[in-house]
Amino acid sequence: MKQVVLTTIIIFALLCSLVAGLQPIELTEASKVITVPNDYSTIQLAIDKAASEDTIFVKNGIYLENVVVNKSVNLIGEDKQLTIIDGNNLGPALIISAQNVNVTGFAVKNAPTLPSYSRNRLAAIHLLNAHNCSIYYNTLYDSGKGIWIVNSHNNTVSNNYMYSNNYGILIQESSGNLIVNNCVTDGWVGIFLDVSKENTLQSNSMLNNHFNFGVSGLTVSHYLNYVDSSNMVGTKKVYYLINQSNIDINPISFPDLGSLIVVNCTNVQIKNLTITNTRGIHIVNAPNVWVVNNTISNTNGGIWIQFSPNSFIADNILSDISEWAIQIDGSENTIVVNNT
């Protein structure tokens, strides 16, 4: 019977990792499979007893725990809807502070007793000083952050479904992470990168969040991320333009634009766009940019100009902006006229 269970787990892990485009989970002769609750009653106890490279298979059920993963293990849930880790707002439901950890097949939530808009809810999965980990095929909901990545590098987050979180994915002070094919919906913020660089975002879908996508940083290097137009905000695309010149951005040249970040570009004209439910128009280190006659609404920021001298901002209409309508940082000789 144990051999049948072991074979099933290996096949399941291989299939999931192959579909996600990841390296398959490999069980060596020295590693073993621990089953929860058969072998140990809690996930944490199983991790505490596991050795590096062991696999912990968790059967369906509700596990009211704040799990700490501090060693290289494979954590596999039986079903991503029915294998539930509930952190109960006592701490992150699952915190990872190790290398080469794989997590798949779980429903993870936190703070069921607090209202959905509360900023005090804690994370579902928190990567803190975690590297080369894979988080895939999980359901993350009712948490402060679905996945919160802090000072963690070269991790892969793929094929997860997240809803009703303050942040779907929040990346802070981290680099080299691959965020691919996740769906983030019905939350406050979809995906946000903060003081992070060289992360790659591909084929992520952000739907019905109050603000779908945004990025912030202290220097230009914090904006050098790889975000292509396969990422969607609602039914439109994210355009994250880097190192381009002489661009005319308008509804004809970019008919499917939903979110716009312009970095290290020159001689850019942005006009006649309609943008909603995202960060607005964000310009970084792009001198001589013109932002004219755009309509921006229901965003947390309207027009943000950073390190971009000689800019011209005119005749834009901005409404229902929660933080700032127009913000200018380190951009001398900028003219701002006739905006509503």
Side-chain angles (χ1 to χ4, degrees), residues 229-245:
S229 59
S230 65
N231 296 282
M232 305 291 291
V233 289
T235 59
K236 297 187 176 182
K237 296 180 179 180
V238 174
Y239 283 95
Y240 200 112
L241 307 178
I242 299 179
N243 298 330
Q244 298 190 32
S245 60

Side-chain angles (χ1 to χ4, degrees), residues 178-182 200-204 226-228 230-231:
L178 174 63
I179 313 298
V180 59
N181 204 34
N182 300 282
T200 299
L201 276 65
Q202 295 177 334
S203 302
N204 297 288
Y226 312 106
V227 183
D228 65 26
S230 65
N231 296 282

Side-chain angles (χ1 to χ4, degrees), residues 48-224:
D48 293 342
K49 298 295 183 180
S52 180
E53 299 185 6
D54 282 353
T55 294
I56 298 165
F57 178 70
V58 183
K59 291 187 174 181
N60 289 343
I62 299 175
Y63 299 86
L64 198 64
E65 297 189 52
N66 304 104
V67 180
V68 177
V69 183
N70 54 8
K71 60 186 70 171
S72 302
V73 295
N74 305 308
L75 192 59
I76 301 176
E78 184 176 1
D79 187 287
K80 66 177 182 177
Q81 303 295 335
L82 302 177
T83 312
I84 301 170
I85 303 175
D86 185 352
N88 200 33
N89 207 42
L90 299 176
L94 181 62
I95 183 168
I96 301 171
S97 295
Q99 298 186 34
N100 303 310
V101 175
N102 297 292
V103 178
T104 185
F106 289 92
V108 189
K109 66 175 183 174
N110 220 331
T113 60
L114 293 179
S116 61
Y117 58 81
S118 171
R119 297 292 182 93
N120 296 320
R121 296 183 304 172
L122 298 173
I125 297 179
H126 184 19
L127 278 71
L128 179 62
N129 302 316
H131 314 302
N132 302 306
C133 299
S134 296
I135 313 297
Y136 58 103
Y137 286 109
N138 301 282
T139 302
L140 311 163
Y141 62 105
D142 288 350
S143 301
K145 294 98 176 172
I147 297 178
W148 187 17
I149 301 174
V150 179
N151 195 29
S152 298
H153 314 298
N154 303 317
N155 301 287
T156 299
V157 176
S158 66
N159 295 285
N160 300 284
Y161 176 57
M162 309 170 206
Y163 66 92
S164 298
N165 301 296
N166 290 340
Y167 289 82
I169 301 174
L170 175 59
I171 303 174
Q172 294 183 300
E173 299 180 11
S174 301
S175 64
N177 297 288
L178 174 63
I179 313 298
V180 59
N181 204 34
N182 300 282
C183 179
V184 185
T185 183
D186 297 305
W188 185 255
V189 179
I191 300 176
F192 197 88
L193 291 82
D194 179 38
V195 193
S196 297
K197 62 183 180 180
E198 298 177 359
N199 298 284
T200 299
L201 276 65
Q202 295 177 334
S203 302
N204 297 288
S205 178
M206 294 159 271
L207 305 168
N208 299 324
N209 302 288
H210 196 56
F211 311 124
N212 280 307
F213 178 70
V215 58
S216 66
L218 302 176
T219 67
V220 175
S221 65
H222 294 147
Y223 292 97
L224 300 180

Side-chain angles (χ1 to χ4, degrees), residues 11-32:
I11 293 173
F12 173 80
L14 286 171
L15 288 174
C16 286
S17 57
L18 286 172
V19 172
L22 307 174
Q23 292 297 319
I25 296 173
E26 295 183 1
L27 297 182
T28 65
E29 291 185 6
S31 64
K32 63 180 181 295

